[in-house]
Amino acid sequence: MDHKYEDAFRVALQIDDVDLQDLKYRDSGWDSVAHMVLMSEIENAFDIMLDTDDVIDFSSFEKGKEILRKYDVEI
Amino acid sequence: MTSKSRLLEDKVALITGSSRGIGRSIVECFASEGATVYANCRTDGSFDTIARELSKLHEVEVIPLYYDVTDSILTKEAFSRIMKERRRLDILVNNAGIMEDALIGMISDELMHRIFNTNVFAVINHLQLAARLMKRGKSGSIINLSSVVGIRGVAGQLVYSASKGAVATLTRSASKELASDNIRVNAIAPGIIGTDLLEVLDDSLLAKRKTSIGFGRFGTPAEIADSALFLASDLSKYITGQILGVDGGVVI
């Protein structure tokens, strides 16, 4: 199974033992600086460029999955 | 024929407002220095022939990108294309701009919005999309076109000068925020440059304007392009947050 989405979070936020399913913006070091790193990791992983509005709306692990569907990325 | 050592070899640049004047000179200059240039213009097909000629002459790729810089969807598509084709962006020149005069008391809402949409909001939009690509490579140079009137002000151009003043300020702020990613952000503040924007002025007014310039002549688009080359290249690798006046000693 492909773990690119989860790996992007682990690399960007430098976290290992965190339950990603419930992860939200402002949790576990997910601050505004880490957010831009996360967006870059996700764009690289899936070869997409997110709209600025989607970068702003990307507020949780689950919300991110919903946003990525717009880019034909199914997690 | 290409020179042996070119200042922008292997660099990828996006230049807005490339069809004429300063923008076109910057495209020509950057291509001659070895850059791959994405040249933004508004009118479909208008730059195809020039792009082909420059590509052949300088043995580089000059690629027209046709879109209105105030259209955020098309702008984002342009950046997506650059990312897919090059995987990087090294240089952004925010050159596209409009200049219109209006005396106080005759400034319409429409004029304010139109000038700020192009001269400020589109610049911010391009800057933040470029920064996202440049952060990946931990390097980049963003060059914004301000104006001498944006620094010193001028009668009859309240809206235009305010928009160019905003460009100067956003340049300084962006330079502070992006320095940790090794992205440099600078602006050029041209004086009076001999482009077709001046063609609307009559000869007596042009002569009067020249007397206000220390060098006694208008600047040329090529002289602004040389400044952009300096800010784009490693010659200025320790320079950020600066507003470079290129004005021949004009007094306003």
Side-chain angles (χ1 to χ4, degrees), chain B residues 3 25 29 33 37 41 52 70 79 90 93 103 131 150 157 165 173 175 180 193 205 209 221 250-251:
Chain B
S3 59
S25 280
C29 177
E33 290 293 341
V37 179
C41 303
R52 273 196 301 273
T70 64
F79 278 89
D90 302 294
V93 182
L103 293 172
Q157 291 188 334
S173 293
S175 73
S180 59
I193 306 302
L205 191 53
R209 289 270 173 97
V250 71
V251 176

Side-chain angles (χ1 to χ4, degrees), chain B residues 101 192 198 201 204-213 218:
Chain B
D101 298 359
I192 306 172
L198 289 183
L201 303 177
S204 63
L205 191 53
L206 287 174
K208 189 179 171 189
R209 289 270 173 97
K210 279 184 188 171
T211 64
S212 68
I213 303 171
F218 297 137

Side-chain angles (χ1 to χ4, degrees), chain B residues 75-109:
Chain B
T75 300
K76 194 257 177 169
E77 286 176 4
F79 278 89
S80 294
R81 178 179 165 184
I82 294 170
M83 188 188 83
K84 286 187 186 303
E85 291 182 356
R86 308 290 161 179
R87 316 300 306 173
R88 62 187 290 176
L89 179 67
D90 302 294
I91 302 157
L92 166 68
V93 182
N94 271 314
N95 167 71
I98 52 177
M99 181 176 75
E100 284 187 45
D101 298 359
L103 293 172
I104 295 168
M106 298 179 68
I107 298 167
S108 66
D109 283 358

Side-chain angles (χ1 to χ4, degrees), chain B residues 137-213:
Chain B
K138 287 282 180 188
S139 74
S141 176
I142 297 172
I143 302 159
N144 300 322
L145 268 289
S146 180
S147 166
V148 66
V149 302
I151 311 301
R152 298 183 206 166
V154 67
Q157 291 188 334
L158 184 151
V159 182
Y160 175 75
S161 63
S163 74
K164 290 301 185 180
V167 170
T169 309
L170 73 86
T171 296
R172 292 192 186 98
S173 293
S175 73
K176 289 173 166 56
E177 191 167 330
L178 297 175
S180 59
D181 288 302
N182 197 34
I183 299 169
R184 300 184 295 107
V185 189
N186 294 287
I188 297 170
I192 306 172
I193 306 302
T195 67
D196 53 7
L197 291 176
L198 289 183
E199 287 175 5
V200 296
L201 303 177
D202 64 45
D203 289 345
S204 63
L205 191 53
L206 287 174
K208 189 179 171 189
R209 289 270 173 97
K210 279 184 188 171
T211 64
S212 68
I213 303 171

Side-chain angles (χ1 to χ4, degrees), chain A residues 36 39-40 43-44 47-52 55 71, chain B residues 76 79-80 83-84 87 125 128-129 132-133 135-136:
Chain A
M36 295 313 297
M39 295 301 101
S40 180
E43 287 180 334
N44 278 337
D47 196 21
I48 58 173
M49 190 164 187
L50 295 164
D51 291 341
T52 302
V55 172
Y71 299 85
Chain B
K76 194 257 177 169
F79 278 89
S80 294
M83 188 188 83
K84 286 187 186 303
R87 316 300 306 173
N125 198 24
Q128 69 173 350
L129 287 166
R132 281 167 58 190
L133 291 187
K135 280 182 178 183
R136 300 174 185 202

